Amino acid sequence: MKRRTALTGTAALALAASLPLPALAQKKIVLGFSQIGAESEWRTANTESIKQAAKDAGIELKFADAQQKQENQIKAIRSFIAQKVDVIAFSPVVESGFETVLREAKAAKIPVILTDRAVNAKDDSLWVTFMGSDFLEEGRKAGRWLLDKEKNTKGDVNIVELQGTVGSAPAIDRKKGFEEIIKTQPRFKIVRSQTGDFTRAKGKEVMQAFLKADPKKINVLYAHNDDMAIGAIQAIEEAGLKPGKDITIISIDGVKGAFEAMMAGKLNVSVECSPLLGPQLMKAVQDVVAGKPVPKRIVTQESVFPMETAAAEFPKRKY
Ligand code: GYE
């Protein structure tokens, strides 16, 4: 017993001696992060992941919530530049209009990391890396699931679409990817398409309007995220219809709320989009500060969860 303790003590001393002193004395990395807002369950999980990962990595996080407004994000980025943070990261609410402020960060020699959503600026030297999902592929997965589900049916399939925030990368690409697949079979028709801004409240409101306009014709709802689908489910029930049966519902994210809806038989499928970007963001921040190379694009790996798999998957879900 005694001998073991002694050995452990020696080992501990040796370990302490081998630690490079400058590493202990190094100052904390400061990361400025501009978050979009708190519009969805996805976003809340993303914020938690980033805050927790910063804590775990010993990185000082300056967190700013833009409340879904681009002007607030631009202000936050300018303030991070003024504070001379080590790295700036942000999730751009929309794709366009960030060049000027990105150039300001570059001029101040502060590296920028894009997380979750992309920008459409031509000059890709304005950011070090972009980490997040492949939204185009998510849209395709949604489309493929629907084509497969309807493979033995005949006649028109009328689809209504709830789009995400206008001008945002996920809204643009999830629409494009879905359309790319369904247009291979002309009987699949998007009869109405409108933004629900990624929120439950807006999803419900727009679905109510869709139902009023065409009460009998809607076969499928394609929602760009789970929250809008959940809002729409309420509207469908209030209209006296059965969500998941009278109207097939497809959405994206795979948050817990979607799993609950699937287990209740009200949502048919959710295409996974992981918000747990915190750990890989902190790793990239550390690498960038250490001058190590980071890949220009880091893609999140994701699955598709049909209703039938929900009960088995639910206990494993982390967001
Ligand atoms: O799907 C949605 C959120 O940018 C991937 O934003 C994200 C999307 C996510 O509000 O729920």
Side-chain angles (χ1 to χ4, degrees):
M1 226 14 214
K2 252 191 189 156
R3 200 162 162 237
R4 249 182 114 172
T5 321
L7 267 180
T8 313
T10 316
L13 265 179
L15 184 72
S18 73
L19 274 179
L21 272 177
L24 292 172
Q26 232 169 42
K27 73 165 187 47
K28 257 193 171 182
I29 297 173
V30 180
L31 167 67
F33 183 80
S34 164
Q35 179 60 294
I36 290 176
E39 74 282 4
S40 63
E41 245 187 83
W42 191 100
R43 190 64 52 198
T44 311
N46 180 244
T47 294
E48 271 168 28
S49 169
I50 287 164
K51 287 187 173 166
Q52 186 58 47
K55 228 189 233 165
D56 295 345
I59 289 173
E60 183 183 331
L61 178 67
K62 292 186 184 294
F63 184 91
D65 178 339
Q67 306 193 324
Q68 297 254 66
K69 291 204 180 81
Q70 180 171 37
E71 58 192 90
N72 292 343
Q73 289 204 293
I74 294 174
K75 264 190 220 151
I77 296 169
R78 291 213 164 108
S79 123
F80 295 147
I81 297 173
Q83 294 172 64
K84 298 191 168 64
V85 300
D86 297 305
V87 180
I88 293 172
F90 77 114
S91 179
V93 59
V94 289
E95 281 191 337
S96 55
F98 283 104
E99 280 97 328
T100 309
V101 74
L102 287 174
R103 258 185 249 116
E104 290 167 20
K106 193 180 174 186
K109 297 198 167 58
I110 301 178
V112 173
I113 296 176
L114 301 177
T115 76
D116 161 35
R117 297 186 186 177
V119 294
N120 60 6
K122 295 238 160 58
D123 178 4
D124 71 357
S125 76
L126 295 174
W127 60 91
V128 196
T129 179
F130 162 44
M131 60 179 61
S133 307
D134 182 343
F135 301 136
L136 211 55
E137 190 52 28
E138 290 171 351
R140 291 187 192 118
K141 285 177 182 165
R144 285 187 204 117
W145 180 89
L146 179 61
L147 255 50
D148 186 59
K149 175 176 186 286
E150 299 292 334
K151 64 177 183 257
N152 297 323
T153 67
K154 285 209 178 75
D156 284 356
V157 178
N158 293 326
I159 305 164
V160 295
E161 179 182 32
L162 283 169
Q163 296 181 38
T165 301
V166 176
S168 70
I172 295 167
D173 289 349
R174 286 171 182 172
K175 180 168 187 51
K176 231 197 203 163
F178 184 77
E179 282 175 346
E180 183 191 306
I181 300 296
I182 62 157
K183 79 167 184 239
T184 61
Q185 294 191 26
R187 69 185 184 105
F188 289 83
K189 296 187 170 75
I190 298 183
V191 293
R192 278 173 204 276
S193 179
Q194 215 175 296
T195 181
D197 213 13
F198 282 131
T199 68
R200 285 187 191 202
K202 229 10 209 330
K204 179 174 181 184
E205 191 186 307
V206 177
M207 191 67 206
Q208 274 167 342
F210 285 165
L211 287 163
K212 238 190 195 160
D214 302 285
K216 292 216 183 64
K217 269 193 353 213
I218 304 172
N219 307 116
V220 176
L221 163 65
Y222 169 46
H224 289 188
N225 81 343
D226 292 335
D227 285 76
M228 292 189 294
I230 292 165
I233 285 170
Q234 286 177 21
I236 294 168
E237 287 181 323
E238 284 170 20
L241 295 168
K242 288 206 169 63
K245 294 191 180 72
D246 298 329
I247 299 179
T248 298
I249 307 180
I250 306 170
S251 65
I252 300 183
D253 277 353
V255 297
K256 286 210 172 112
F259 276 81
E260 280 157 5
M262 286 194 281
M263 289 188 290
K266 298 178 180 179
L267 173 68
N268 300 77
V269 64
S270 185
V271 174
E272 186 182 34
C273 176
S274 175
L276 308 178
L277 301 176
Q280 72 198 57
L281 171 59
M282 298 313 147
K283 167 86 172 61
V285 167
Q286 285 166 329
D287 286 351
V288 167
V289 171
K292 290 188 195 156
V294 288
K296 196 80 200 174
R297 177 79 174 96
I298 302 171
V299 186
T300 319
Q301 298 305 314
E302 291 154 343
S303 332
V304 176
F305 299 109
M307 185 194 255
E308 301 72 34
T309 66
E313 286 294 329
F314 186 68
K316 298 183 226 160
R317 301 302 292 162
K318 295 201 175 68
Y319 60 90

